[in-house]
Amino acid sequence: MLVIGVTGGIGSGKTAVTNLFAELGITIVDADICARIVVEPGQPALAAIADRFGPAMLQADGTLNRAAMRARIFSNPDDKLWLEQQTHPRIRDEIARQLQAATSPYAILVSPLLIEGNQHTFCDRILVVDVPEATQLQRTVARDSNDAEQVQRIIASQASRAQRLARADDVIENTGTFEQLREKVLALHQRYLALAEGGEEK
């Protein structure tokens, strides 16, 4: 199975791109969704989190209190490391399970941390959705009602634009219209179908 990794900074348009691939019948495996699955009620990672940090980390319905968890790990590097050791291997297992279940000619793994983490090892090619940092900031503030400082902190915590582009096999420059974006996705889809059939070198 040919696996295309899709990444890009916050506000770059990864979701718009992967939605277009999904409309073409391509299986999308989303690392963020996998990360949520591994901390659902009944999962070993959630039990371990509650054991370590206490019931304040759980909502009344038994789900993870994400805001409390975020505040805890951003203020304590040891807790962040512990959480990653609990969740990252399980996230990898969930990604592998979903990729193995894919039935489309090729599959897409979308992850904001594809390059920073080791998730790129699942991929045959990396597609970067690229926009200038000013565009990331503008879109994310408008979309999430976040203040600009918080968005800049998120951008700073991710791989730089130059780091992502240095690892890219393919790039979608996403500053145009939605129709232009659709055309770019269609062109890459044809290329990936050819790759999946072995008609072109990976």
Side-chain angles (χ1 to χ4, degrees):
M1 167 70 72
L2 175 71
V3 178
I4 309 297
V6 173
T7 194
I10 188 169
S12 59
K14 293 183 298 296
T15 303
V17 167
T18 53
N19 285 348
L20 286 166
F21 278 110
E23 283 176 19
L24 295 166
I26 301 304
T27 298
I28 310 295
V29 177
D30 186 325
D32 282 346
I33 293 173
C34 293
R36 288 175 180 271
I37 289 170
V38 303
V39 292
E40 283 177 350
Q43 293 290 335
L46 186 63
I49 288 166
D51 283 346
R52 181 175 171 104
F53 300 116
M57 287 301 153
L58 299 181
Q59 309 266 28
D61 64 358
T63 58
L64 179 64
N65 184 336
R66 293 179 180 281
M69 189 80 251
R70 257 195 308 272
R72 178 73 183 244
I73 64 171
F74 275 115
S75 61
N76 188 321
D78 289 344
D79 287 341
K80 184 172 187 283
L81 182 63
W82 178 87
L83 182 69
E84 288 171 351
Q85 287 169 344
Q86 287 294 316
T87 57
H88 285 190
R90 293 182 168 110
I91 293 167
R92 279 189 68 81
D93 290 347
E94 181 62 24
I95 288 170
R97 188 189 68 75
Q98 291 195 23
L99 286 172
Q100 280 175 332
T103 54
S104 52
Y106 64 92
I108 281 178
L109 169 61
V110 57
S111 173
L113 302 175
L114 191 78
I115 289 163
E116 297 89 319
N118 56 6
Q119 293 169 356
H120 61 86
T121 57
F122 285 109
C123 306
D124 299 294
R125 293 181 74 83
I126 293 176
L127 166 59
V128 170
V129 185
D130 183 53
V131 294
E133 202 171 289
T135 307
Q136 285 183 263
L137 190 61
Q138 179 190 353
R139 285 182 183 170
T140 308
V141 168
R143 181 189 68 192
D144 299 341
S145 304
N146 281 327
D147 63 76
E149 271 182 38
Q150 187 179 356
V151 177
Q152 279 172 323
R153 278 197 298 274
I154 294 168
I155 290 171
S157 74
Q158 296 181 336
S160 72
R161 192 178 173 198
Q163 285 170 323
R164 275 193 297 269
L165 290 172
R167 299 292 295 276
D169 297 292
D170 305 297
V171 178
I172 284 182
E173 190 273 321
N174 185 23
T175 53
T177 65
F178 185 71
E179 277 312 308
Q180 287 170 326
L181 183 65
R182 185 190 296 277
E183 284 170 19
K184 290 174 182 178
V185 168
L186 277 169
L188 281 171
H189 175 61
Q190 294 306 321
R191 182 162 189 213
Y192 296 155
L193 286 176
L195 284 170
E197 288 164 11
E200 201 181 319
E201 282 299 305
K202 286 184 189 177

